[in-house]
Amino acid sequence: MVETGFSKHISDAGDLLDIDKAIVDRVIKPERVLESYVSVVVDGEAKNFRCIRCQHSSLLGPYKGGIRFHPEVTLEESLELAQTMTFKNAVVDVPFGGAKGGVVCNPKEMSEKELMELSRKYIESLNDFIGPEKDIPAPDVNTGPKNMAVMMDSYSELVGKNVPAVVTGKPVEVGGTELRSGATGRGVATVYHEYIQDHGYSINDVDVAIQGYGKVGQVAAELIDSYGSNVVGLSDSTGAIIDENGLPTTEIREWKEKTGSVIGFNETTEITNKELLTLDVDVLIPAALANAINKEIADQIQAEVIIEAANNPITPTADKILNEKNHTIIPDILANAGGVTASYLEWVQNMQHHSWSQEKLVNELDTKMKTAYQNVKKTKTKKPKTHSYRESAIQMALQKLTKTLKLRKPIFK
Ligand code: GLU
């Protein structure tokens, strides 16, 4: 099995906590890796697609994690992201294990109808291995509520009954919640708020730059703006804009919805994406794809605090450089756990055939995120051996997984 960057984080935590090697190895390795091929008609011709599902751990509950549609989906990436999900769910204390999956495809070259057919086929090919108490997929890169509705339908047809709890992130009409689509961004903003309050900043004086103005970045930016902080820089794949007096985040979202880009909004100054990442701000929030902050750019980063809204936005080498230079990093497994927490609330509602008010859902999400932040912080202060929030979060999760493993499989001592 391939070694991932996250495996190294887990084994380092195991060494620091003196956990038996066989246990650490068991926690690192996936329980099951699935690969299948499906065929869909694209542009009038049959095409074959590689599907992957990595079921990393079911120690704390059914496998849980998103499905991405991307040309660069690999087994290694799915394993790393599935490990991340196991640890994320442990940190935020939802009773799920970890999984991740994907289809190697280029959604930009496919019609919506073709993508929906691919979603249906994905579930058909993995049907035996998923289920509301087995493995519960969700949206990820290039998938969203519409794909989830089709996946839910596909599974329901195959088992001959309606099973909304088999996937989360569904449209409201088929058992989803209003909360889910903005939940990752909301969780990022909540963690930001907790950290800022805790560290003696005056919230109105904090300058923030956000890389990526998709769903996660937009929601986080608007909430952070509403707390009174200054969102001074924003970017998307077309470029970046800055205004040292603070950007009007809602108007820029509307502008982007109209024009497809953040560029060209009023009098804002245009800079490059690289310049945005290296801005002299208090807080930097990478909310786009993985590996945005790599070793080439790490020592030019000026932000004191980096909050990982995306999954794996900092490469392991860059992480090391930033830690050595005493930047604070709030890791993805804490910062972006709002998405899967909202997924959990959706799943509970579906399992109970019941729905809660938006107010109750928002409260539950905020409380879970605040508690997770406080627990990671407590681990960081309690354990002199931990230096970073990432190490603390991983140690906290690893201890929980180790305890459960020993109870469930007493051959491990
Ligand atoms: N894809 C999201 C993540 O990386 C959410 C997964 C879920 O809701 O199951 O956290």
Side-chain angles (χ1 to χ4, degrees), residues 240-259:
I241 52 171
I242 46 165
D243 185 338
E244 61 182 32
N245 298 316
L247 294 158
T249 52
T250 306
E251 285 169 48
I252 297 173
R253 170 173 51 79
E254 287 160 4
W255 171 258
K256 184 174 160 76
E257 276 161 11
K258 223 167 48 198
T259 65

Side-chain angles (χ1 to χ4, degrees), residues 64-68 81 85 88-89 96 100 136-141 168-169 180 184 311 336-337 339-344:
K64 183 86 189 85
I67 296 172
R68 54 179 59 184
L81 291 164
M85 285 310 301
K88 191 185 295 189
N89 291 333
F96 286 141
K100 200 71 154 203
I136 308 139
D140 202 81
V141 175
T168 58
R180 178 64 183 86
T184 309
N311 282 321
N336 74 24
V340 74
T341 304
S343 276
Y344 166 64

Side-chain angles (χ1 to χ4, degrees), residues 7-8 10-11 23-30 56 79 83:
S7 305
K8 171 93 171 74
I10 304 173
S11 61
I23 293 180
V24 176
D25 187 53
R26 191 71 197 82
V27 173
I28 287 174
K29 297 229 162 75
H56 171 249
L79 169 60
Q83 291 171 323

Side-chain angles (χ1 to χ4, degrees), residues 210-218 234-237 273 276 285-288:
I210 300 181
Q211 181 235 10
Y213 216 47
K215 192 80 204 168
V216 178
Q218 284 169 10
L234 286 175
S235 73
D236 62 18
S237 57
N273 272 317
L276 181 113
I285 304 185

Side-chain angles (χ1 to χ4, degrees), residues 354-367:
H354 182 69
S355 61
W356 294 317
S357 67
Q358 171 74 354
E359 196 192 344
K360 176 164 163 75
L361 291 169
V362 167
N363 276 338
E364 291 271 337
L365 172 63
D366 291 354
T367 307

Side-chain angles (χ1 to χ4, degrees), residues 4 20 37 53 74 90 99 108 137 160 169 180 207-208 242 244 334:
T4 68
D20 191 90
Y37 287 83
R53 184 73 175 165
T74 61
K108 288 196 186 112
R180 178 64 183 86
D207 286 346
V208 183
I242 46 165
E244 61 182 32
L334 168 62

